[in-house]
Amino acid sequence: MTIAATLAASPGPPPADLLARLRARADADPVTHVERVPARAGEPAPWPDWAADELRAAFARRGVTAPWRHQAEAARLAYAGSHVVVATGTASGKSLAYQLPALATLLADPRATTLYLAPTKALAADQLRSVADLELEGVRPACYDGDTPRAEREWIRRHSRFVLTNPDMLHHGILPGHAQWSGFLRRLAYVVVDECHTYRGVFGSHVAHVLRRLRRQCARYGRTPVFVLASATSGDPAAAAERLTGLPVTAVTEDASPRGGVTFALWEPPLLPAADASSADARPDGADLAPVRRSALRETADLLADTVATGVRTLAFVRSRRGAEVVAANARRALDEAVPGLGDRVAAYRAGYLREERRELERALLRGDLLGLASTNALELGVDLVGLDAVLICGYPGTRASLWQQAGRAGRSGQEALAVLVARDDPLDTYLVHHPEAVFGAPVEATVLDPANPYVLGPQLACAAVEAPLTPADLELFGEGAKEAVDALVEAGALRQRPTGWYWRHRERPEVDLRGEDGAPVCVVESATGRLLGTVDGGSSHFLLHPGAVYLHQGVSYVVDALDLADGCALVHPEEPDWSTHARDVTSLSVVSVRSYVDAGPVGLFLGEVDVTSQVVSYQRRRIATGEVIDTRPLDLPTRELRTVAVWFTLSPESLAAAGVEPADVPGALHAAEHAAIGLLPLMATCDRWDIGGLSTAVHPDTEAPTVFVYDGHPGGAGFAERAYGTAAAWLRATRDAIAECGCETGCPSCVQSPKCGNGNNPLSKPDAIRVLDVVLANLPS
């Protein structure tokens, strides 16, 4: 047996011992907190009377001798006709809660059908394996998505009784072709919405209307299916599920499954020695270099290599596609230096890979051929990764719900597990690793979505009108703002009103992207061969595929030769430069209207609509080894305009002067406060730093005062600014504490510097940012 095979077959050390080994390899202890999540015994329940012997036997063959209490309760409610959401922890067996009533109904009624929706293709494929392995006669489960060969689609429409798909395919393929699906829809008994906590922001708002369109078509065929939703633990799951479906939903939240113990460590990478940081001469402004921590990507790659070398099956979650590639490549390199060939047991997994690559990686992971995997959140959701011992989380994933979902990927079947959160040099990550109560003692966030967003509602009503003319009853189904949206579509010439309803006037269907990614995907093509490497969503193409950008694919580095936005294509050539690229943009903002405000004397807090104009204007090349800025190169890319929702606060110049902020320091003070506020907002809302943007100015023309804006990065808003407005005192208090408690003197990435700043993090004033927030908090109502 090879060394690699021996490592893969051997069990790793206990989590506490593994953590001790990892800590011992560091010069200074990087662990700021260790939380022990105790093991828990399960509470089984009897099989329901309506579960056929054939079904019980099928589950028994899979090792399920009885359901857990929460599974039985959710199944009972669904089988009785109640819409239900089961919101319990990772690996709590939520799939049985919907499989049990759905499959029992399919066995009892040979004509009944079930539609299963997953946010990712990987999860749908995993659930297909789960249902198919039960080998129930007549169910004929099948995946119907963009990867399904056209030759199989007709068979699935006619014969499958358990169809697994995703909201995108429901929106683009099934609902527009509902006549071809009429036999399936008129017999539809259940709609399963898996991992429904992921449907947040603009994506969630779109999916809410796709589900209403599904309900509308089912009603036209005489059916009212039962909705069964599965969610990670979240705040108020019933209310979120009701917003998503437009139906009354009962929540089952008490987790009765057994759970192995988890050792959860918060890990802060060490500060780099001065010799390892780039020199002041390399900085474009010649300023003193702020203290720099070791990159979370480098730290995670080293930890992944260490755990794999120890024989521990490990999954490393990385926030970006590029980051997943970097972690996998560095871990492979370190392992091959130690044991030639061992690096082959580590791979990257992310969206944008071709179908064949994704499926082979999933099979290799399930077979155990891969010992370590660096993945984006594409593998966060319910895919059953059997036998994992450890999870590394490179950077806070944006919400506590995602954090626990990712940590729960390890420790299946009651075994002990290790989870490590590796902090990025970022205000929120730094705050969390030094305030463990914000991770382990706080409730999970509520899911934020806004179906009334006019930029979502109007296009969705247009899609519904293509499927069948809209009627007054339909407007009630689509909820608040529907009548105004229909009137706007009529005025724009998209709909024509007749006595029987509103009709779509054009031959083409409206083009609506559920995920709000601002345009069709851009294909990445190798110039010399014409080979398609992958895709990047249109919204990210200006940042990731601009001319000169470095693009990574399965550890191979490419440089972009040209970006053709009209044809949706980027041409690249293989190259291994010793630098990375970082796009920079400029932004302007104007206030359109004010929805709500708080008058707090010298401080004003506002919520309203704004217009944001941005343009990627240049990119920096930085040495990979040191972060040294080599140069800044100009770009000529088109501007982008966004009407969205923002929260902003103003301060009087007199209050700033009284707090000791000199007029010359006001721009740096507001800029630093803006960066930190953006970084801390995910503590309050189910958003990511990259979902939101900001702007600060010493005198804004619309407010005529020093102002800090934070806005949703999606057309019409995503609900995050509203959440910030409603929790402003707590949000800005956490922001102030994060800045004040950071050990740096003048500001660093852990407090006020931002990785997405278009102005190169200049000017910034850390001490004056604290004074600004003190003024706001002293006057703002709690």
Side-chain angles (χ1 to χ4, degrees), residues 692-723:
I692 48 184
L695 182 141
S696 56
T697 176
V699 181
H700 191 273
D702 295 330
T703 66
E704 299 181 347
T707 310
V708 172
F709 294 89
V710 175
Y711 57 85
D712 292 350
H714 301 279
F720 309 136
E722 285 95 333
R723 179 68 176 166

mmCIF file of all heavy atoms in Angstrom, residues 692-723:
data_model
loop_
_atom_site.group_PDB
_atom_site.id
_atom_site.type_symbol
_atom_site.label_atom_id
_atom_site.label_comp_id
_atom_site.label_asym_id
_atom_site.label_seq_id
_atom_site.Cartn_x
_atom_site.Cartn_y
_atom_site.Cartn_z
ATOM 1 N N ILE A 692 -22.639 44.349 -0.311
ATOM 2 C CA ILE A 692 -22.940 45.738 0.026
ATOM 3 C C ILE A 692 -21.779 46.640 -0.393
ATOM 4 O O ILE A 692 -20.654 46.184 -0.601
ATOM 5 C CB ILE A 692 -23.214 45.904 1.541
ATOM 6 C CG1 ILE A 692 -22.128 45.210 2.371
ATOM 7 C CG2 ILE A 692 -24.585 45.386 1.899
ATOM 8 C CD1 ILE A 692 -22.345 45.228 3.852
ATOM 9 N N GLY A 693 -22.073 47.914 -0.540
ATOM 10 C CA GLY A 693 -21.048 48.890 -0.878
ATOM 11 C C GLY A 693 -21.187 50.107 0.000
ATOM 12 O O GLY A 693 -22.108 50.215 0.821
ATOM 13 N N GLY A 694 -20.280 51.060 -0.171
ATOM 14 C CA GLY A 694 -20.345 52.247 0.657
ATOM 15 C C GLY A 694 -19.656 53.426 0.012
ATOM 16 O O GLY A 694 -18.901 53.297 -0.959
ATOM 17 N N LEU A 695 -19.940 54.585 0.570
ATOM 18 C CA LEU A 695 -19.308 55.819 0.116
ATOM 19 C C LEU A 695 -19.360 56.807 1.271
ATOM 20 O O LEU A 695 -20.347 56.850 2.017
ATOM 21 C CB LEU A 695 -20.028 56.379 -1.114
ATOM 22 C CG LEU A 695 -19.454 57.656 -1.730
ATOM 23 C CD1 LEU A 695 -19.521 57.572 -3.254
ATOM 24 C CD2 LEU A 695 -20.222 58.890 -1.250
ATOM 25 N N SER A 696 -18.296 57.595 1.419
ATOM 26 C CA SER A 696 -18.269 58.617 2.469
ATOM 27 C C SER A 696 -17.699 59.897 1.884
ATOM 28 O O SER A 696 -16.870 59.867 0.972
ATOM 29 C CB SER A 696 -17.415 58.156 3.658
ATOM 30 O OG SER A 696 -16.108 57.810 3.235
ATOM 31 N N THR A 697 -18.161 61.002 2.418
ATOM 32 C CA THR A 697 -17.700 62.293 1.913
ATOM 33 C C THR A 697 -17.844 63.357 2.989
ATOM 34 O O THR A 697 -18.782 63.313 3.805
ATOM 35 C CB THR A 697 -18.492 62.712 0.656
ATOM 36 O OG1 THR A 697 -18.082 64.007 0.242
ATOM 37 C CG2 THR A 697 -19.980 62.728 0.913
ATOM 38 N N ALA A 698 -16.903 64.306 2.994
ATOM 39 C CA ALA A 698 -16.925 65.370 4.001
ATOM 40 C C ALA A 698 -18.116 66.299 3.809
ATOM 41 O O ALA A 698 -18.630 66.846 4.794
ATOM 42 C CB ALA A 698 -15.622 66.161 3.969
ATOM 43 N N VAL A 699 -18.560 66.508 2.574
ATOM 44 C CA VAL A 699 -19.773 67.280 2.301
ATOM 45 C C VAL A 699 -20.429 66.662 1.073
ATOM 46 O O VAL A 699 -19.914 66.793 -0.045
ATOM 47 C CB VAL A 699 -19.481 68.776 2.040
ATOM 48 C CG1 VAL A 699 -20.797 69.513 1.779
ATOM 49 C CG2 VAL A 699 -18.745 69.418 3.205
ATOM 50 N N HIS A 700 -21.551 65.981 1.277
ATOM 51 C CA HIS A 700 -22.249 65.394 0.134
ATOM 52 C C HIS A 700 -23.235 66.414 -0.422
ATOM 53 O O HIS A 700 -23.942 67.082 0.347
ATOM 54 C CB HIS A 700 -22.986 64.119 0.543
ATOM 55 C CG HIS A 700 -23.495 63.336 -0.622
ATOM 56 N ND1 HIS A 700 -24.718 63.582 -1.204
ATOM 57 C CD2 HIS A 700 -22.923 62.334 -1.346
ATOM 58 C CE1 HIS A 700 -24.887 62.750 -2.219
ATOM 59 N NE2 HIS A 700 -23.825 61.982 -2.323
ATOM 60 N N PRO A 701 -23.320 66.583 -1.745
ATOM 61 C CA PRO A 701 -24.190 67.629 -2.305
ATOM 62 C C PRO A 701 -25.665 67.457 -1.970
ATOM 63 O O PRO A 701 -26.398 68.441 -1.915
ATOM 64 C CB PRO A 701 -23.951 67.514 -3.822
ATOM 65 C CG PRO A 701 -23.322 66.165 -4.022
ATOM 66 C CD PRO A 701 -22.550 65.886 -2.787
ATOM 67 N N ASP A 702 -26.118 66.219 -1.723
ATOM 68 C CA ASP A 702 -27.534 66.003 -1.424
ATOM 69 C C ASP A 702 -27.872 66.166 0.057
ATOM 70 O O ASP A 702 -29.002 66.470 0.405
ATOM 71 C CB ASP A 702 -27.974 64.605 -1.885
ATOM 72 C CG ASP A 702 -27.909 64.456 -3.394
ATOM 73 O OD1 ASP A 702 -28.090 65.467 -4.091
ATOM 74 O OD2 ASP A 702 -27.658 63.330 -3.873
ATOM 75 N N THR A 703 -26.904 65.943 0.929
ATOM 76 C CA THR A 703 -27.168 66.084 2.369
ATOM 77 C C THR A 703 -26.592 67.370 2.936
ATOM 78 O O THR A 703 -26.964 67.784 4.036
ATOM 79 C CB THR A 703 -26.567 64.887 3.141
ATOM 80 O OG1 THR A 703 -25.135 64.928 3.028
ATOM 81 C CG2 THR A 703 -27.082 63.564 2.603
ATOM 82 N N GLU A 704 -25.638 67.958 2.209
ATOM 83 C CA GLU A 704 -24.952 69.175 2.639
ATOM 84 C C GLU A 704 -24.316 69.011 4.024
ATOM 85 O O GLU A 704 -24.313 69.925 4.842
ATOM 86 C CB GLU A 704 -25.925 70.365 2.633
ATOM 87 C CG GLU A 704 -26.496 70.653 1.251
ATOM 88 C CD GLU A 704 -27.445 71.841 1.249
ATOM 89 O OE1 GLU A 704 -27.848 72.276 2.336
ATOM 90 O OE2 GLU A 704 -27.764 72.335 0.143
ATOM 91 N N ALA A 705 -23.795 67.819 4.273
ATOM 92 C CA ALA A 705 -23.186 67.527 5.575
ATOM 93 C C ALA A 705 -22.211 66.372 5.413
ATOM 94 O O ALA A 705 -22.263 65.626 4.419
ATOM 95 C CB ALA A 705 -24.274 67.167 6.592
ATOM 96 N N PRO A 706 -21.311 66.178 6.376
ATOM 97 C CA PRO A 706 -20.481 64.969 6.381
ATOM 98 C C PRO A 706 -21.380 63.729 6.446
ATOM 99 O O PRO A 706 -22.270 63.650 7.308
ATOM 100 C CB PRO A 706 -19.638 65.125 7.649
ATOM 101 C CG PRO A 706 -19.612 66.606 7.899
ATOM 102 C CD PRO A 706 -20.955 67.099 7.477
ATOM 103 N N THR A 707 -21.160 62.761 5.539
ATOM 104 C CA THR A 707 -22.112 61.659 5.387
ATOM 105 C C THR A 707 -21.380 60.347 5.113
ATOM 106 O O THR A 707 -20.386 60.314 4.395
ATOM 107 C CB THR A 707 -23.079 61.931 4.215
ATOM 108 O OG1 THR A 707 -23.636 63.242 4.355
ATOM 109 C CG2 THR A 707 -24.204 60.918 4.184
ATOM 110 N N VAL A 708 -21.908 59.279 5.683
ATOM 111 C CA VAL A 708 -21.456 57.914 5.386
ATOM 112 C C VAL A 708 -22.648 57.128 4.854
ATOM 113 O O VAL A 708 -23.692 57.047 5.518
ATOM 114 C CB VAL A 708 -20.884 57.218 6.639
ATOM 115 C CG1 VAL A 708 -20.613 55.742 6.356
ATOM 116 C CG2 VAL A 708 -19.614 57.908 7.107
ATOM 117 N N PHE A 709 -22.515 56.570 3.646
ATOM 118 C CA PHE A 709 -23.547 55.743 3.025
ATOM 119 C C PHE A 709 -23.112 54.275 3.041
ATOM 120 O O PHE A 709 -21.948 53.966 2.792
ATOM 121 C CB PHE A 709 -23.767 56.124 1.555
ATOM 122 C CG PHE A 709 -24.343 57.488 1.319
ATOM 123 C CD1 PHE A 709 -23.514 58.595 1.176
ATOM 124 C CD2 PHE A 709 -25.713 57.671 1.211
ATOM 125 C CE1 PHE A 709 -24.033 59.852 0.934
ATOM 126 C CE2 PHE A 709 -26.248 58.916 0.971
ATOM 127 C CZ PHE A 709 -25.415 60.017 0.833
ATOM 128 N N VAL A 710 -24.070 53.376 3.271
ATOM 129 C CA VAL A 710 -23.875 51.939 3.058
ATOM 130 C C VAL A 710 -25.083 51.455 2.263
ATOM 131 O O VAL A 710 -26.221 51.676 2.679
ATOM 132 C CB VAL A 710 -23.749 51.167 4.381
ATOM 133 C CG1 VAL A 710 -23.680 49.668 4.119
ATOM 134 C CG2 VAL A 710 -22.519 51.623 5.158
ATOM 135 N N TYR A 711 -24.841 50.826 1.108
ATOM 136 C CA TYR A 711 -25.957 50.485 0.223
ATOM 137 C C TYR A 711 -25.901 49.023 -0.207
ATOM 138 O O TYR A 711 -24.843 48.387 -0.236
ATOM 139 C CB TYR A 711 -25.957 51.393 -1.014
ATOM 140 C CG TYR A 711 -24.688 51.366 -1.834
ATOM 141 C CD1 TYR A 711 -24.479 50.382 -2.811
ATOM 142 C CD2 TYR A 711 -23.695 52.327 -1.654
ATOM 143 C CE1 TYR A 711 -23.323 50.359 -3.560
ATOM 144 C CE2 TYR A 711 -22.531 52.315 -2.418
ATOM 145 C CZ TYR A 711 -22.351 51.316 -3.364
ATOM 146 O OH TYR A 711 -21.194 51.283 -4.102
ATOM 147 N N ASP A 712 -27.085 48.493 -0.550
ATOM 148 C CA ASP A 712 -27.189 47.144 -1.094
ATOM 149 C C ASP A 712 -26.605 47.121 -2.498
ATOM 150 O O ASP A 712 -26.891 48.007 -3.314
ATOM 151 C CB ASP A 712 -28.647 46.693 -1.165
ATOM 152 C CG ASP A 712 -29.269 46.496 0.207
ATOM 153 O OD1 ASP A 712 -28.523 46.521 1.196
ATOM 154 O OD2 ASP A 712 -30.492 46.310 0.279
ATOM 155 N N GLY A 713 -25.834 46.097 -2.809
ATOM 156 C CA GLY A 713 -25.195 46.016 -4.108
ATOM 157 C C GLY A 713 -26.035 45.349 -5.176
ATOM 158 O O GLY A 713 -25.488 44.754 -6.102
ATOM 159 N N HIS A 714 -27.375 45.426 -5.056
ATOM 160 C CA HIS A 714 -28.274 44.794 -6.015
ATOM 161 C C HIS A 714 -29.364 45.782 -6.414
ATOM 162 O O HIS A 714 -29.817 46.581 -5.587
ATOM 163 C CB HIS A 714 -28.915 43.545 -5.415
ATOM 164 C CG HIS A 714 -27.931 42.514 -4.983
ATOM 165 N ND1 HIS A 714 -27.348 41.627 -5.858
ATOM 166 C CD2 HIS A 714 -27.417 42.216 -3.756
ATOM 167 C CE1 HIS A 714 -26.521 40.837 -5.198
ATOM 168 N NE2 HIS A 714 -26.546 41.177 -3.919
ATOM 169 N N PRO A 715 -29.816 45.745 -7.679
ATOM 170 C CA PRO A 715 -30.873 46.661 -8.110
ATOM 171 C C PRO A 715 -32.110 46.555 -7.230
ATOM 172 O O PRO A 715 -32.586 45.463 -6.932
ATOM 173 C CB PRO A 715 -31.186 46.194 -9.546
ATOM 174 C CG PRO A 715 -29.942 45.516 -10.002
ATOM 175 C CD PRO A 715 -29.351 44.877 -8.780
ATOM 176 N N GLY A 716 -32.600 47.722 -6.780
ATOM 177 C CA GLY A 716 -33.804 47.745 -5.958
ATOM 178 C C GLY A 716 -33.580 47.398 -4.503
ATOM 179 O O GLY A 716 -34.506 47.494 -3.699
ATOM 180 N N GLY A 717 -32.361 46.985 -4.154
ATOM 181 C CA GLY A 717 -32.067 46.620 -2.771
ATOM 182 C C GLY A 717 -32.320 45.153 -2.505
ATOM 183 O O GLY A 717 -33.004 44.462 -3.263
ATOM 184 N N ALA A 718 -31.753 44.668 -1.417
ATOM 185 C CA ALA A 718 -31.887 43.257 -1.050
ATOM 186 C C ALA A 718 -32.380 43.071 0.373
ATOM 187 O O ALA A 718 -32.463 41.948 0.853
ATOM 188 C CB ALA A 718 -30.541 42.554 -1.230
ATOM 189 N N GLY A 719 -32.694 44.162 1.072
ATOM 190 C CA GLY A 719 -33.168 44.054 2.445
ATOM 191 C C GLY A 719 -32.094 44.288 3.490
ATOM 192 O O GLY A 719 -32.395 44.390 4.682
ATOM 193 N N PHE A 720 -30.828 44.378 3.073
ATOM 194 C CA PHE A 720 -29.749 44.530 4.039
ATOM 195 C C PHE A 720 -29.701 45.937 4.634
ATOM 196 O O PHE A 720 -29.461 46.106 5.832
ATOM 197 C CB PHE A 720 -28.406 44.180 3.392
ATOM 198 C CG PHE A 720 -28.392 42.855 2.694
ATOM 199 C CD1 PHE A 720 -27.809 42.710 1.451
ATOM 200 C CD2 PHE A 720 -28.976 41.739 3.276
ATOM 201 C CE1 PHE A 720 -27.795 41.487 0.796
ATOM 202 C CE2 PHE A 720 -28.977 40.506 2.629
ATOM 203 C CZ PHE A 720 -28.390 40.388 1.389
ATOM 204 N N ALA A 721 -29.922 46.952 3.793
ATOM 205 C CA ALA A 721 -29.910 48.324 4.304
ATOM 206 C C ALA A 721 -31.038 48.537 5.303
ATOM 207 O O ALA A 721 -30.854 49.223 6.324
ATOM 208 C CB ALA A 721 -30.019 49.314 3.148
ATOM 209 N N GLU A 722 -32.206 47.955 5.024
ATOM 210 C CA GLU A 722 -33.318 48.069 5.989
ATOM 211 C C GLU A 722 -32.935 47.450 7.327
ATOM 212 O O GLU A 722 -33.247 47.983 8.390
ATOM 213 C CB GLU A 722 -34.573 47.378 5.445
ATOM 214 C CG GLU A 722 -35.274 48.158 4.348
ATOM 215 C CD GLU A 722 -34.848 47.716 2.976
ATOM 216 O OE1 GLU A 722 -33.708 47.207 2.840
ATOM 217 O OE2 GLU A 722 -35.626 47.872 2.033
ATOM 218 N N ARG A 723 -32.267 46.299 7.272
ATOM 219 C CA ARG A 723 -31.829 45.633 8.501
ATOM 220 C C ARG A 723 -30.822 46.515 9.250
ATOM 221 O O ARG A 723 -30.881 46.633 10.478
ATOM 222 C CB ARG A 723 -31.213 44.283 8.150
ATOM 223 C CG ARG A 723 -30.694 43.494 9.324
ATOM 224 C CD ARG A 723 -31.808 43.020 10.226
ATOM 225 N NE ARG A 723 -31.300 42.176 11.294
ATOM 226 C CZ ARG A 723 -31.995 41.844 12.376
ATOM 227 N NH1 ARG A 723 -33.243 42.272 12.506
ATOM 228 N NH2 ARG A 723 -31.475 41.085 13.304
#
